[in-house]
Amino acid sequence: MKIAKPVSEKKLTLIDVAVAAGVSAITVSRVINQPDKVSETLRVQVQKAIDTLGYIPNQYASSLASSKSKVIGVSIPTLSNTVFTDVLRGIYDVLNNTGYKVLLVDTHYSPLEEEKMIRTLLSQAPEAMIITGGDQTRTCQNLLQKSRVPVVQIMELLLEPLDMNIGFCHWQAGYDVATHLLEEGYSRIGFIGARMDPRVQQRMQGFKKALEEVDKFQKNFIATTPEPSSIAVGGELFKSLLASTNGVVDAIFCANDDLALGALFESQRMNIKVPDDLALCGFNDIEASRFVNPSLTSVQVGRYEMGIKAAEMVIKRLNGDTEGPKVVDTGYQIKKRESTRN
Amino acid sequence: MKIAKPVSEKKLTLIDVAVAAGVSAITVSRVINQPDKVSETLRVQVQKAIDTLGYIPNQYASSLASSKSKVIGVSIPTLSNTVFTDVLRGIYDVLNNTGYKVLLVDTHYSPLEEEKMIRTLLSQAPEAMIITGGDQTRTCQNLLQKSRVPVVQIMELLLEPLDMNIGFCHWQAGYDVATHLLEEGYSRIGFIGARMDPRVQQRMQGFKKALEEVDKFQKNFIATTPEPSSIAVGGELFKSLLASTNGVVDAIFCANDDLALGALFESQRMNIKVPDDLALCGFNDIEASRFVNPSLTSVQVGRYEMGIKAAEMVIKRLNGDTEGPKVVDTGYQIKKRESTRN
DNA sequence: TTGTATGCGTTATCAG
DNA sequence: CTGATAACGCATACAA
């Protein structure tokens, strides 16, 4: 049995392989996709031709014909925040072993941009989507529902998920942080937040509620900015809050650890002792929080695990399994450290 | 002019839009891809139909017909390191506005895994590839060359780039850091490094060379580990180095800022004064380095800009422009801060 | 087990 | 500027 040499110029197709192996195109297709449905003899013969020629299937023709893209769309607000890249890592680690490809978009926290990007994603006919949060535009949600792709909304628990949902309750987490600070004996408690995306808003509302319940909420104890969150901004907001409260604030809930680090570093420069003069609590529990001095109380959330689970939910659904729960609460845990020890 | 209502059941095609707008399919295609080639009247009319119906083009059909995938493959060692996600951000920010999609893979720093992933990427017929560094397996490099896709190798300057190359010289950066420390009067200078990927190795070699030139290199002043880099590991390596040098080390070049922060936090706990008792220099200049106390000397490299430029090089090449330089040195800058002020 | 006919949704080519 | 027709490469459905 002779097999033709590779013709390096033109693109190889199923037919080239079929001719080389002396079979029909569909048989080659089967050798690739359903090897069990082809006899041993032909399978070996065809595989040899494939290897010899160096044939690589055309995914686009395949997707078009089968309407299966093997693509999963993922949308996150930003690549600059370890919170999201940790989740991403979980998603990639699961999906890369399943033959699915990830198509990632970065919405820059803008629902409008998100709509545009999700439109692009949908044109790739993804078999499923993993998207962040629930503040998509109405149009965008319609697009998603009309497309009928399985959707997992991650990072936060939603009142009305589009489909599947995995995350935790930011409101409750904010409430619990405030409670922790109250329990530690602090009473003039402030809040600083940046970007103010829906999840930060919820943390703030939970925080506010807890203070209101004990009649300790004061409007001027809140400092926020629409700017992106950063250590620098944390320092700025910290100074604003000191000013607006005439320095009487005795504890601050920072909407995330970057802000908290900024506040901590600034307080060190101002010679304000943490936690003696002032308590600080962050959110997300990034690695630095555990090691900085004083160590920073923060709220741990299983980001990598959330990514893993979201991807697993997707895979399960794609395998036709509709049994599992559609909503998963991944919870959180307040890590009490030196910065709030009274 | 009436336009039909969306029929939510079947998938919309060009033809549906064409019928709704009362034109031919190819005209709709042109409105989408070459709007200038369609008269104002028809363009508006067709666009209206597209919007009303919520039509989304099928990229697979498009790619099959035009043999253009509009895909660019990107390979990075890990998603856990801001160094790479910053570059990624630059890449996405450029590419998202050009109609190209990014197919990203995370190689976990393993050339073997990289080879496997790049093989997968190639079956998507990417129009170009952006990959990290130069330590691909021989097989992998052959695959890339045979595929004839434009390739940009990023993060470091290579002796023999496969095609295009953008980055800076890590060896020289390491050399310069050592020189800076020597100039500040330090003379018992150590090095700590983790993961020990090719770029870290180069920084270490440059560092070593500078010390050797003034006869100040000592083998036991080096502490490394193959473990992933982290703040925690920085603290550990710091303690090892103190032990192996009997505490006489007076300056440490940390292969990155995470390690440096770990060393700094640990030194604070051990009551070792930086920079009075010990100088610390990091690498990458992450945000924390600028704000921590004492602020941390580090080496700034334009990561986001590198991503931007890499993507721009790719786009240029894809547009048939072969003029520009194939190798770009993005340089670096030592940010001298409190932690090395003698 | 293997093969034939046909369609997937778009774009290239060439006419009008 | 607009349209008819034929690819693009593969997989589905059915036949043999």
Side-chain angles (χ1 to χ4, degrees):
Chain A
M1 166 99 236
K2 265 201 175 176
I3 292 193
K5 286 281 171 62
V7 187
S8 65
E9 282 318 313
K10 226 184 144 300
K11 259 181 210 157
L12 287 169
T13 74
L14 263 191
I15 299 189
D16 297 315
V17 180
V19 170
V23 299
S24 74
I26 188 65
T27 300
V28 180
S29 170
R30 287 197 184 106
V31 169
I32 295 171
N33 300 310
Q34 316 166 342
D36 348 320
K37 303 215 163 188
V38 178
S39 67
E40 175 77 22
T41 332
L42 278 193
R43 199 187 324 150
V44 174
Q45 193 169 321
V46 169
Q47 189 58 55
K48 198 172 162 190
I50 290 176
D51 295 341
T52 311
L53 296 175
Y55 168 70
I56 294 181
N58 180 322
Q59 290 291 337
Y60 301 102
S62 170
S63 293
L64 180 58
S66 67
S67 54
K68 277 184 186 155
S69 62
K70 286 290 174 188
V71 161
I72 290 173
V74 176
S75 155
I76 59 173
T78 179
L79 275 164
S80 313
N81 191 329
T82 181
V83 165
F84 300 109
T85 53
D86 282 346
V87 178
L88 253 192
R89 205 157 42 85
I91 295 175
Y92 271 93
D93 283 353
V94 169
L95 261 30
N96 276 341
N97 296 317
T98 60
Y100 285 93
K101 289 129 225 158
V102 174
L103 223 42
L104 172 70
V105 298
D106 165 356
T107 70
H108 299 97
Y109 281 99
S110 151
L112 251 63
E113 210 168 323
E114 180 176 28
E115 178 184 325
K116 195 182 120 201
M117 315 249 67
I118 285 188
R119 213 179 270 276
T120 307
L121 278 182
L122 285 176
S123 76
Q124 300 301 116
E127 297 185 38
M129 297 271 276
I130 298 175
I131 66 181
T132 304
D135 64 331
Q136 293 77 29
T137 65
R138 196 86 207 88
T139 310
C140 183
Q141 301 196 334
N142 285 337
L143 275 173
L144 285 168
Q145 305 215 281
K146 245 175 48 179
S147 74
R148 298 201 181 156
V149 290
V151 172
V152 187
Q153 287 168 295
I154 59 172
M155 300 310 291
E156 63 182 298
L157 255 20
L158 265 14
L159 253 44
E160 299 184 336
L162 291 168
D163 181 2
M164 292 173 281
N165 184 205
I166 178 166
F168 62 92
C169 179
H170 292 254
W171 191 95
Q172 189 65 48
Y175 185 97
D176 289 356
V177 164
T179 303
H180 164 60
L181 292 173
L182 287 167
E183 283 172 357
E184 287 287 327
Y186 300 100
S187 63
R188 298 184 302 279
I189 308 175
F191 174 95
I192 64 178
R195 181 76 78 177
M196 303 314 287
D197 63 76
R199 290 166 293 283
V200 170
Q201 302 265 14
Q202 288 165 40
R203 285 173 219 155
M204 185 174 77
Q205 291 306 325
F207 164 85
K208 187 179 165 196
K209 176 68 174 174
L211 291 193
E212 281 172 348
E213 285 179 358
V214 295
D215 211 31
K216 288 193 170 151
F217 178 73
Q218 292 174 266
K219 214 171 173 181
N220 57 320
F221 276 60
I222 291 207
T224 69
T225 169
E227 275 182 77
S229 193
S230 69
I231 296 177
V233 165
E236 296 304 318
L237 288 173
F238 174 69
K239 284 188 283 186
S240 308
L241 193 61
L242 282 187
S244 71
T245 63
N246 291 316
V248 303
V249 59
D250 66 2
I252 303 179
F253 174 27
C254 308
N256 66 44
D257 284 355
D258 281 337
L259 296 178
L261 287 176
L264 175 60
F265 295 150
E266 185 61 36
S267 72
Q268 291 171 342
R269 285 189 288 275
M270 295 174 75
N271 243 318
I272 295 173
K273 301 293 175 204
V274 175
D276 297 342
D277 300 338
L278 179 78
L280 287 176
C281 176
F283 202 97
N284 286 330
D285 196 27
I286 64 177
E287 199 198 7
S289 302
R290 209 163 85 240
F291 290 98
V292 73
N293 299 303
S295 59
L296 199 59
T297 294
S298 190
V299 179
Q300 183 191 57
V301 304
R303 294 186 287 278
Y304 180 72
E305 295 71 22
M306 197 187 293
I308 298 271
K309 281 188 190 162
E312 286 175 348
M313 280 174 92
V314 159
I315 296 297
K316 241 178 141 180
R317 174 73 72 85
L318 290 178
N319 288 339
D321 185 343
T322 56
E323 295 301 301
K326 294 184 68 168
V327 175
V328 175
D329 185 346
T330 54
Y332 55 85
Q333 204 182 343
I334 298 184
K335 294 291 187 182
K336 297 171 187 175
R337 303 208 180 93
E338 295 165 355
S339 70
T340 59
R341 209 148 284 162
N342 214 351
Chain B
M1 166 97 235
K2 266 199 172 176
I3 292 191
K5 285 282 170 61
V7 187
S8 65
E9 283 317 313
K10 227 181 143 302
K11 256 183 213 156
L12 286 170
T13 74
L14 263 192
I15 299 190
D16 297 315
V17 179
V19 170
V23 299
S24 74
I26 188 68
T27 299
V28 179
S29 171
R30 286 197 184 107
V31 169
I32 295 171
N33 300 309
Q34 316 165 343
D36 349 320
K37 302 214 163 188
V38 178
S39 67
E40 175 77 23
T41 333
L42 279 192
R43 200 187 325 151
V44 174
Q45 193 170 320
V46 169
Q47 190 57 56
K48 199 172 159 189
I50 290 176
D51 295 340
T52 311
L53 296 175
Y55 167 71
I56 294 180
N58 180 322
Q59 287 295 333
Y60 300 103
S62 171
S63 292
L64 179 58
S66 65
S67 58
K68 278 184 185 157
S69 64
K70 287 291 174 187
V71 162
I72 290 173
V74 176
S75 155
I76 60 172
T78 179
L79 274 163
S80 314
N81 190 329
T82 180
V83 165
F84 300 109
T85 52
D86 281 347
V87 177
L88 255 192
R89 203 156 44 85
I91 294 175
Y92 272 92
D93 283 353
V94 169
L95 260 31
N96 276 340
N97 297 316
T98 60
Y100 285 93
K101 288 129 228 156
V102 174
L103 224 43
L104 173 70
V105 297
D106 166 356
T107 70
H108 300 98
Y109 281 99
S110 152
L112 251 63
E113 209 168 323
E114 179 175 29
E115 177 184 325
K116 195 183 118 201
M117 314 246 69
I118 285 187
R119 213 179 270 278
T120 307
L121 278 182
L122 285 176
S123 78
Q124 299 303 114
E127 296 185 40
M129 297 272 276
I130 298 175
I131 67 181
T132 304
D135 64 330
Q136 293 78 29
T137 65
R138 196 85 206 88
T139 310
C140 183
Q141 300 195 335
N142 284 338
L143 274 174
L144 285 168
Q145 305 215 281
K146 243 178 46 183
S147 74
R148 297 195 184 163
V149 290
V151 173
V152 187
Q153 286 168 296
I154 60 171
M155 301 311 291
E156 62 182 298
L157 254 21
L158 265 15
L159 253 44
E160 298 183 337
L162 292 168
D163 181 2
M164 293 172 281
N165 183 205
I166 178 165
F168 62 92
C169 179
H170 292 253
W171 190 97
Q172 189 64 49
Y175 185 96
D176 289 357
V177 164
T179 303
H180 164 60
L181 292 173
L182 289 167
E183 283 173 357
E184 288 287 327
Y186 300 101
S187 62
R188 298 185 301 280
I189 309 176
F191 174 94
I192 63 177
R195 179 76 80 175
M196 303 314 287
D197 63 75
R199 290 166 293 284
V200 170
Q201 303 264 16
Q202 287 165 41
R203 285 173 219 155
M204 185 174 77
Q205 291 307 325
F207 163 85
K208 186 179 166 197
K209 175 68 176 174
L211 291 192
E212 282 172 348
E213 285 179 358
V214 295
D215 210 31
K216 289 194 168 151
F217 177 74
Q218 292 175 265
K219 214 171 175 183
N220 58 321
F221 276 59
I222 291 210
T224 68
T225 170
E227 277 183 74
S229 192
S230 68
I231 296 177
V233 165
E236 296 305 319
L237 289 173
F238 174 69
K239 284 187 284 187
S240 310
L241 193 62
L242 282 187
S244 71
T245 63
N246 292 316
V248 303
V249 58
D250 66 1
I252 303 179
F253 173 28
C254 308
N256 66 43
D257 285 354
D258 282 337
L259 296 178
L261 287 176
L264 175 60
F265 295 151
E266 185 61 35
S267 73
Q268 291 171 343
R269 285 189 287 275
M270 295 175 75
N271 244 319
I272 295 173
K273 301 293 174 203
V274 175
D276 297 343
D277 301 338
L278 178 77
L280 288 175
C281 177
F283 202 96
N284 285 331
D285 196 27
I286 64 176
E287 199 198 7
S289 302
R290 210 164 83 241
F291 290 99
V292 72
N293 299 303
S295 58
L296 199 60
T297 294
S298 191
V299 180
Q300 182 191 57
V301 305
R303 293 186 289 277
Y304 180 71
E305 295 70 23
M306 196 187 293
I308 297 271
K309 280 188 190 162
E312 285 175 347
M313 279 173 94
V314 159
I315 295 297
K316 241 178 139 180
R317 173 75 70 86
L318 291 178
N319 288 338
D321 185 343
T322 56
E323 295 300 302
K326 293 185 70 169
V327 174
V328 176
D329 184 346
T330 54
Y332 55 85
Q333 204 182 342
I334 298 184
K335 293 292 187 182
K336 299 172 186 173
R337 302 210 180 91
E338 295 164 356
S339 69
T340 59
R341 208 148 285 162
N342 214 351

